[in-house]
Amino acid sequence: MTILFLITAVVILASAMMVVTARNLVHAALWLVVTLFGVAVLYAMLNAGFLAVVQVVVYIGAIAILFIFAVMLTGRQAREKGPGLNRNWWAAALMGIVTFIGLAWMLQGWRGFSQFSNALPSGFESVNELGQALVSPEAYVLPFEVASILLVTALVGAVYIAFNRK
Amino acid sequence: MTTELLIWLIPFPPLLAFFLIVLFTNRNKALSHDVGVGAAALSWLGSMVVFFRAIGTEHLGEHPIEASIPWLPTGETWFRIGVLIDPLAAVVLFFVAFTIFMIFLYSVGYQNFGQPIGDHDRPGLPPHGATLVDGKGRKYMVPSVEPLYSRFFAFLGLFAFGMYTLVVSDNLLTMFVGWEIMGLCSYLLIGFWYGKESARDAAIKAFMTTRVGDVFMLMGIAYLYSATGTLSFRAIFTEEVLHVLSTTATPILGMSVAGLIALLLFIGTVGKSAQWPLHVWLPDAMEGPTPVSAMIHAATMVSAGVYAGIRMFPLLTAGWHEGAALTTTMGIVAFIGAFTALFAATIALAQNDIKRVLAYSTISQLGFMVASLGIGAYIAAVFHLITHAFFKALLFLGSGSVIHGMEHGVLHTGDHKVDPQDMFNMGGLRRKMPITFWTFLIGGFALSGFPVITAGFWSKDEILADAWANGHLAVFVTLAVAAFLTAFYTMRQITLTFLGEPRTKEAEHAQETPWTMTVPLMVLAFFAITYGWVGIPESFPVLGGILPNWFHEFVGGTLLEHPPFLEFNIVPLLTSLAVALGGLFFGWLAYRGVKSPAQDRLQIPVLKNKWYFDEAYDFLFVKPAYWFAETFVYKWMDTGLIDGILHGVGKVTAFLGSAIRNYIDKLIINEFVGDGTARLTQWLGDRLRPVQTGRIQQYMLASLGVLIVVGSLLFSLLMR
Amino acid sequence: MIPLSWYLILAAALFSIGLFGVLARRNAIAILLGVELMLNAVNINLVAFWRYLNPIQMTGQVFAIIVFAVAAAEVAVGLALVISVYRSRKTIVADELDMMKW
């Protein structure tokens, strides 16, 4: 388990680095796909099987593809080899490092930081439970529905914005 | 109605007339004179009723008809004002009422009521005649009506109110009020023809001169009030008060308080009655219309001065009794009276204007009365006051009639350079103006003291008798000489005016005046003759005893002690006969052949120019006053000092203002603060503007940076 | 066993990398890629907390699903915007899109 985690972690971080530094946007998008895969594995290790699959299907299958389409639609710029980073990249790097250190430090001050996970109770079907939680009125049906409305709205908006009036 | 109420009401009809005329009837001449004469008639009626009731009252002196009201709150008590008719007030009221009434009536004719409006008459100038066309187409001039006709009656009404107030009042304060009202009216009336510069100047001169006297009088009143706490006659003239006042000494000239007060009050009389040295205003006051001269200088105003003196007689003679030497104050009074009598008589000898002669004559006769007071001859003074009022008013109105007749002649001939008032332009008027002539003659004889049949004889004789009997020889001789001169110049006047032949064409065409003017003359002439007979001394040879000396009895009751009856002495009688008849005779003799001023040997410059007193006063008082006003106060103090200060303040303020503006406002506030802030803001803006690059990533960087900083701060604080 | 802290550190690192990408990349789409990374880091956190603290209650996973939805919506709109901007400005370099400049 540990080894799996470590390998996954390395993959995630490395590909994330590539995402943010790749000059060619298509490359960056593809590197994002790798990162997303790694995250899916992580979900699986955390016994969130459904989420892992959703991750692959939605994130990679929809969002990453969407990225690639957008890259293609925005023309030659994507394929050009201009500098990938802007002028203030060092400030951004500094910010990132500071953020990381800050977050880590804050988290390690929390007493539950180094706890281990407990075993799941037998017969615990996370998918079932998740499904129940999503649709039962005592649980999270409302946020679920709202999220769907949000999606619809966003997509309508996106279509409208990107619509080519010719 | 009660007598007291009637007395209160007497002064008011003329006052009402004043207001009515001024406010309502000014445009309507007939209505105005109706109101005026009617008011005078009403007051006359009231006065007659009061007079007859008064003389019917027993012991009026001890129980006079009086009434008073509390008027002014003074601390714990009230200052009372009221009316008082004691014997003195009663007889004075009698003649005042008559003369005022006659003058009002006379004014209707004098101001040419009913005549057409003049050709070039302007308000403020005497009327100059209107041109009419007669049946044959010839143009001729007639006298024109006075443009300011109604105003005249209004002023006369106010004047009458003042005089009545003075006569009926029971205290010095309201008496003074009446006094001052008359002063005002004399100014208004002397300056009635305000278009003439001489009239304006005369009015101011009259007012100013009498003012000098009034100031001292007011001081006297104040002193009296502070010494006794009251101004009411009945309260002051009591044994106790007079005794206290006469025995308290003052540091001035060794006079007692009574004497000093009496002196101060007397100075008021000197001013009002034109005694030397304050005589200068009276001759100039002839600038006013003749009824005014009659009013002021015979009947009322100057008489008011003497009346005041007579009223204060107890104060004047406090501590003195018959036969004793005169007190300081009395001596001063007697001196001024006698001196003035002689002094004015000498000037009258050289005057050519018919009214001027009468003016100086008035001054002289008032001197007689004042001298009489000074020597303590109370009854004589009152007697002469009244008889003088009648015959002097008669003479003035008569002279007005003469002038009117002469003006007729002037209009006829058209030669306006001829002065209708100059006696040397007259002559022979007895044929043209008979009524005027006879009444004037009666008046003149009364003035001269023609024996027995004229009132002036009785009153003047009594003064001389009193002076002789009490051994005041200086006064006696002075007055006798003055009486001689009086008769002399009176006869001069009559001769030049009425006797002989007309010397000019204007005199030839003179005409008698209308009834409104001659009737008053006749009424006054009646009194000028008969009034003397109420005061014939009982000890007079032959005639004494036929009629009781009612006057002495009645008026004497006013004083605390009845003045004694004089023993008869032949010397004063002979003296007065001699001076009167002699003066008249010599006057006629000297002037019956005189045709022009060149032939008149009495045209001595000193006399003609009134002993140069006007010039002296001008030099001593008037010019310095002008200098003080024009140069000192106006130029130096007002323009120089005060305006200088103001300009200085202005300049300093302006300087401060501009300094603040230039140094503080412009430099500091505008430049530094105002423009400076703007420039600073602009500079800051310029510097800060580039922060807004529009680049989102930079915005995010910035906000993230801030977030980190704030977050770590909060975190470190919270974790503490 | 893997302590929770490893997951958390991993998520933090991923988040920082995503942050760097957002702040430092020129291309607008690359910025959105960075945002995706950040969202994923959040999701990792959520699921890890769910698993380690209270796996009985589904709150963590539900939250993560909502985050998915939101991320998808955001990407859609964001890319639509980028495309629209590209059409009008002919550029998607973030530095050149400075119409908010003074």
Side-chain angles (χ1 to χ4, degrees):
Chain A
M1 242 3 208
T2 316
I3 300 173
L4 187 58
F5 176 80
L6 286 171
I7 294 172
T8 317
V10 167
V11 166
I12 290 175
L13 291 176
S15 54
M17 283 307 296
M18 292 316 292
V19 167
V20 296
T21 54
R23 278 221 184 104
N24 191 326
L25 266 186
V26 179
H27 290 180
L30 292 171
W31 280 114
L32 182 68
V33 171
V34 176
T35 313
L36 294 174
F37 258 122
V39 174
V41 171
L42 222 51
Y43 288 155
M45 279 199 289
L46 285 170
N47 298 113
F50 182 69
L51 275 183
V53 175
V54 169
Q55 167 90 345
V56 173
V57 169
V58 170
Y59 252 115
I60 299 173
I63 293 172
I65 301 300
L66 194 56
F67 266 111
I68 293 172
F69 270 115
V71 167
M72 284 175 185
L73 279 175
T74 53
R76 36 197 127 77
Q77 276 227 335
R79 291 185 280 273
E80 269 169 21
K81 286 212 189 235
L85 301 174
N86 62 16
R87 286 186 309 190
N88 300 322
W89 66 268
W90 48 270
L94 186 65
M95 282 295 154
I97 292 168
V98 168
T99 309
F100 174 66
I101 291 172
L103 281 171
W105 187 65
M106 275 203 308
L107 285 169
Q108 63 86 29
W110 177 51
R111 59 177 170 71
F113 189 53
S114 301
Q115 62 180 281
F116 288 90
S117 65
N118 304 323
L120 284 173
S122 59
F124 181 74
E125 291 287 343
S126 65
V127 181
N128 266 0
E129 295 298 318
L130 182 60
Q132 292 249 349
L134 281 177
V135 297
S136 80
E138 305 92 37
Y140 302 103
V141 67
L142 188 60
F144 184 60
E145 298 303 328
V146 169
S148 25
I149 293 172
L150 174 70
L151 270 173
V152 171
T153 319
L155 290 174
V156 168
V159 167
Y160 182 75
I161 291 171
F163 197 69
N164 206 347
R165 292 177 196 81
K166 260 214 286 256
Chain B
M1 72 165 64
T2 62
T3 316
E4 286 82 2
L5 185 59
L6 196 54
I7 304 170
W8 279 107
L9 291 177
I10 288 175
F12 288 101
L15 181 67
L16 193 61
F18 169 72
F19 281 116
L20 283 176
I21 295 173
V22 165
L23 292 173
F24 300 116
T25 68
N26 200 13
R27 284 182 206 277
N28 188 338
K29 294 188 171 62
L31 200 54
S32 299
H33 79 217
D34 282 344
V35 170
V37 175
L42 269 178
S43 293
W44 172 84
L45 193 61
S47 306
M48 290 302 117
V49 171
V50 168
F51 176 73
F52 281 106
R53 286 192 194 172
I55 58 177
T57 313
E58 283 284 329
H59 295 295
L60 188 63
E62 282 131 46
H63 312 288
I65 308 172
E66 55 180 343
S68 67
I69 54 168
W71 185 59
L72 199 60
T74 51
E76 299 284 310
T77 54
W78 283 82
F79 184 87
R80 302 184 72 93
I81 57 169
V83 295
L84 174 74
I85 298 292
D86 57 6
L88 173 65
V91 292
V92 170
L93 192 63
F94 181 80
F95 88 77
V96 164
F98 256 103
T99 45
I100 287 179
F101 187 23
M102 290 302 111
I103 290 168
F104 263 87
L105 187 58
Y106 181 87
S107 301
V108 172
Y110 186 82
Q111 301 287 29
N112 294 321
F113 178 71
Q115 297 285 53
I117 300 180
D119 297 334
H120 1 263
D121 278 351
R122 282 174 37 216
L125 287 174
H128 246 95
T131 317
L132 294 179
V133 181
D134 70 4
K136 297 201 197 74
R138 274 185 316 199
K139 284 212 225 137
Y140 65 99
M141 291 199 83
V142 292
S144 54
V145 73
E146 165 64 50
L148 290 172
Y149 189 80
S150 309
R151 185 187 289 203
F152 190 74
F153 282 93
F155 287 160
L156 280 184
L158 191 61
F159 199 105
F161 167 69
M163 187 63 190
Y164 277 122
T165 307
L166 182 133
V167 172
V168 304
S169 61
D170 78 338
N171 63 81
L172 268 170
L173 187 66
T174 48
M175 192 177 97
F176 192 67
V177 167
W179 182 279
E180 289 294 341
I181 292 177
M182 288 199 290
L184 170 69
C185 288
S186 78
Y187 167 80
L188 291 172
L189 285 166
I190 293 171
F192 185 71
W193 285 320
Y194 54 81
K196 283 170 67 177
E197 190 182 343
S198 54
R200 293 200 296 270
D201 292 342
I204 294 177
K205 187 174 182 180
F207 198 76
M208 287 286 130
T209 317
T210 52
R211 207 84 194 105
V212 174
D214 293 344
V215 167
F216 287 99
M217 186 167 187
L218 199 54
M219 283 203 288
I221 293 178
Y223 192 179
L224 183 60
Y225 185 72
S226 74
T228 58
T230 175
L231 287 177
S232 173
F233 297 139
R234 298 287 295 168
I236 298 172
F237 300 144
T238 55
E239 283 283 349
E240 310 82 46
V241 175
L242 287 175
H243 183 78
V244 169
L245 290 178
S246 64
T247 47
T248 325
T250 60
I252 302 176
L253 288 178
M255 288 190 279
S256 62
V257 171
L260 184 57
I261 296 175
L263 184 65
L264 288 171
L265 295 173
F266 173 66
I267 298 178
T269 301
V270 168
K272 208 62 144 189
S273 297
Q275 298 299 290
W276 178 88
L278 295 174
H279 63 280
V280 289
W281 65 271
L282 196 142
D284 283 10
M286 297 298 123
E287 291 289 337
T290 307
V292 171
S293 310
M295 190 81 146
I296 294 179
H297 308 125
T300 46
M301 206 169 94
V302 297
S303 307
V306 179
Y307 172 79
I310 296 175
R311 261 276 172 240
M312 306 316 292
F313 187 78
L315 206 58
L316 179 67
T317 55
W320 177 84
H321 58 89
E322 283 281 340
L326 300 177
T327 64
T328 320
T329 316
M330 289 173 78
I332 295 174
V333 171
F335 166 73
I336 289 184
F339 178 79
T340 306
L342 185 59
F343 170 74
T346 56
I347 300 180
L349 292 174
Q351 299 301 312
N352 295 340
D353 183 317
I354 193 174
K355 280 168 71 170
R356 296 264 153 150
V357 177
L358 294 174
Y360 285 104
S361 167
T362 306
I363 300 176
S364 177
Q365 293 303 305
L366 291 168
F368 270 84
M369 295 174 223
V370 168
S372 169
L373 277 179
I375 60 174
Y378 184 74
I379 306 288
V382 182
F383 200 16
H384 200 59
L385 175 68
I386 299 179
T387 57
H388 171 265
F390 281 120
F391 60 67
K392 198 39 77 57
L394 168 61
L395 284 170
F396 266 111
L397 295 186
S399 73
S401 179
V402 166
I403 295 169
H404 231 55
M406 284 294 292
E407 278 175 351
H408 224 277
V410 167
L411 288 175
H412 186 94
T413 59
D415 184 358
H416 285 274
K417 282 195 275 304
V418 171
D419 183 3
Q421 297 187 278
D422 190 336
M423 291 191 295
F424 282 102
N425 290 335
M426 302 177 193
L429 290 180
R430 70 182 178 289
R431 289 186 214 105
K432 307 280 185 226
M433 308 174 69
I435 304 178
T436 308
F437 168 60
W438 283 106
T439 51
F440 198 94
L441 194 68
I442 293 171
F445 278 8
L447 174 58
S448 313
F450 193 85
V452 183
I453 57 169
T454 61
F457 167 72
W458 296 106
S459 54
K460 206 178 287 195
D461 182 55
E462 195 159 336
I463 299 178
L464 288 174
D466 217 299
W468 177 259
N470 288 314
H472 305 296
L473 271 182
V475 173
F476 179 77
V477 170
T478 315
L479 290 182
V481 174
F484 176 76
L485 292 178
T486 305
F488 185 82
Y489 67 63
T490 307
M491 202 56 202
R492 169 179 179 258
Q493 187 174 32
I494 294 176
T495 312
L496 284 175
T497 309
F498 293 103
L499 305 180
E501 296 302 323
R503 282 185 283 278
T504 58
K505 288 231 274 307
E506 287 72 19
E508 278 176 24
H509 289 283
Q511 261 189 15
E512 186 59 90
T513 45
W515 71 268
T516 48
M517 290 171 79
T518 51
V519 164
L521 293 178
M522 292 191 279
V523 171
L524 291 171
F526 170 75
F527 282 110
I529 296 175
T530 58
Y531 203 87
W533 297 335
V534 302
I536 304 176
E538 305 219 335
S539 53
F540 201 76
V542 180
L543 294 169
I546 299 181
L547 293 168
N549 194 344
W550 169 84
F551 193 83
H552 191 116
E553 277 289 335
F554 184 65
V555 176
T558 319
L559 295 177
L560 290 171
E561 271 176 30
H562 225 88
F565 289 94
L566 287 170
E567 277 296 323
F568 178 70
N569 194 316
I570 196 78
V571 173
L573 174 61
L574 283 179
T575 316
S576 63
L577 280 175
V579 298
L581 294 171
L584 286 171
F585 177 69
F586 282 113
W588 172 75
L589 198 62
Y591 281 93
R592 62 193 169 111
V594 169
K595 300 227 188 333
S596 71
Q599 292 177 333
D600 185 358
R601 276 177 299 181
L602 281 173
Q603 297 279 309
I604 304 169
V606 165
L607 298 182
K608 257 183 97 76
N609 288 317
K610 309 159 265 168
W611 295 88
Y612 297 111
F613 265 96
D614 276 320
E615 288 76 4
Y617 285 168
D618 185 55
F619 177 73
L620 285 174
F621 299 113
V622 177
K623 290 230 166 16
Y626 270 114
W627 175 85
F628 188 70
E630 280 173 352
T631 311
F632 184 70
V633 178
Y634 178 65
K635 236 175 37 170
W636 295 351
M637 302 299 287
D638 196 41
T639 317
L641 187 66
I642 296 179
D643 281 354
I645 293 177
L646 289 176
H647 291 324
V649 169
K651 281 203 198 79
V652 167
T653 317
F655 169 73
L656 272 179
S658 71
I660 292 178
R661 168 101 183 116
N662 288 332
Y663 296 111
I664 299 179
D665 196 43
K666 270 197 205 156
L667 280 185
I668 298 179
I669 297 179
N670 283 2
E671 285 257 344
F672 186 64
V673 176
D675 292 349
T677 353
R679 264 185 263 127
L680 180 68
T681 315
Q682 231 176 6
W683 178 83
L684 271 179
D686 273 343
R687 297 283 166 276
L688 287 176
R689 205 192 302 121
V691 173
Q692 289 197 319
T693 55
R695 297 186 189 143
I696 296 190
Q697 287 168 312
Q698 286 179 347
Y699 290 175
M700 285 200 283
L701 269 172
S703 55
L704 199 59
V706 170
L707 175 65
I708 287 172
V709 169
V710 172
S712 54
L713 265 172
L714 276 176
F715 186 72
S716 61
L717 281 172
L718 286 171
M719 280 295 134
R720 197 82 31 206
Chain C
M1 302 310 302
I2 305 168
L4 177 59
S5 55
W6 288 17
Y7 285 100
L8 298 182
I9 298 291
L10 174 65
L14 189 59
F15 185 84
S16 307
I17 292 169
L19 184 65
F20 171 73
V22 166
L23 294 176
R25 291 286 267 171
R26 284 183 81 227
N27 199 311
I29 298 177
I31 295 173
L32 287 168
L33 286 171
V35 175
E36 286 309 307
L37 286 178
M38 282 157 70
L39 284 166
N40 272 285
V42 168
N43 260 350
I44 294 173
N45 253 343
L46 283 170
V47 177
F49 275 124
W50 168 76
R51 178 65 183 81
Y52 276 72
L53 296 183
N54 192 359
I56 311 296
Q57 237 183 322
M58 281 292 146
T59 313
Q61 284 203 28
V62 172
F63 204 153
I65 291 193
I66 305 294
V67 172
F68 275 138
V70 168
E74 166 255 326
V75 163
V77 173
L79 287 176
L81 281 170
V82 167
I83 290 172
S84 174
V85 164
Y86 176 73
R87 285 217 192 100
S88 67
R89 298 265 155 197
K90 297 285 176 260
T91 177
I92 51 169
V93 174
D95 277 351
E96 289 170 22
L97 298 172
D98 58 357
M99 282 77 82
M100 282 211 296
K101 190 170 131 145
W102 59 267

